[in-house]
Amino acid sequence: NVSLGFDGKRVLLINVDTARTRVDPADPNAIENRLVAAVASVPGVAAAAGSLYTPAGGGGAGLLRDARGRTTDPGRVVANFITPGWFAVYGIPIRAGRDVTHHDSSNAPLVIIVNDAFIRRFSSGRNPIGATFDESISDFLRNRTVIGVVGDAVYGSLRDAAPPTVYVPLAQSIGLTP
């Protein structure tokens, strides 16, 4: 009966290990783009997207858990790395601003999307669209402009509230260590 923040009934997860895949330095996200396109072309698939972590799957960079799987540091910000269309696939509402697009590439200005929990904790009720965060929240967020606000999704334990979460375009994730 816990709200996960997304529609799990309409999502089929496919895990792909790309560890042994050769990465073309000229196009480091080519494999993710090819995988998403291949899945989207399967008959019966309405939409496809990719991410590094899965909500309610125990993932999310920066999320710490204790032995029972519960969040141990409520001040942490969870980061997920996504391809365009990820929110639509999960049915997570975009409350303000926009989704990431293919224009949010490694050569484009650095952007993030934040969730409602992030707004409650860090924005003091101000509209964050267009805001650029400094290292006072996290060095990881430095120079990233907020382009959207989305609904909360549960990461980790279902016993905990949705954590403050930032979503980074996968194309802008090369070399990041949140």
Side-chain angles (χ1 to χ4, degrees):
N1 294 332
V2 174
S3 173
L4 300 176
F6 64 92
D7 184 359
K9 294 181 184 120
R10 55 184 260 160
V11 176
L12 172 65
L13 297 176
I14 300 170
N15 292 314
V16 178
D17 182 1
T18 59
R20 291 191 237 166
T21 305
R22 292 178 199 239
V23 176
D24 177 2
D27 190 5
N29 295 104
I31 186 68
E32 289 89 359
N33 294 332
R34 285 197 330 252
L35 287 168
V36 170
V39 171
S41 71
V42 172
V45 172
S51 65
L52 197 55
Y53 301 105
T54 304
L63 185 64
L64 301 177
R65 290 181 222 81
D66 66 15
R68 295 172 305 182
R70 295 179 57 101
T71 303
T72 59
D73 183 357
R76 286 297 282 245
V77 173
V78 173
N80 198 355
F81 307 88
I82 61 169
T83 64
W86 189 85
F87 300 108
V89 167
Y90 274 90
I92 297 173
I94 296 177
R95 302 211 192 282
R98 67 172 178 88
D99 195 352
V100 299
T101 70
H102 291 289
H103 297 291
D104 297 313
S105 66
S106 60
N107 299 323
L110 300 175
V111 297
I112 57 171
I113 293 176
V114 299
N115 72 342
D116 290 333
F118 187 97
I119 300 300
R120 287 190 297 274
R121 176 143 324 132
F122 298 111
S123 290
S124 304
R126 294 185 309 259
N127 180 355
I129 303 298
T132 301
F133 293 98
D134 62 21
E135 64 275 6
S136 65
I137 294 175
S138 167
D139 189 50
F140 168 74
L141 298 177
R142 186 182 318 179
N143 300 324
R144 290 189 176 272
T145 300
V146 177
I147 59 166
V149 177
V150 297
D152 292 334
V154 172
Y155 285 82
S157 174
L158 299 181
R159 295 181 185 106
D160 295 327
T165 306
V166 297
Y167 296 91
V168 177
L170 193 57
Q172 295 184 352
S173 69
I174 301 300
L176 291 179
T177 54

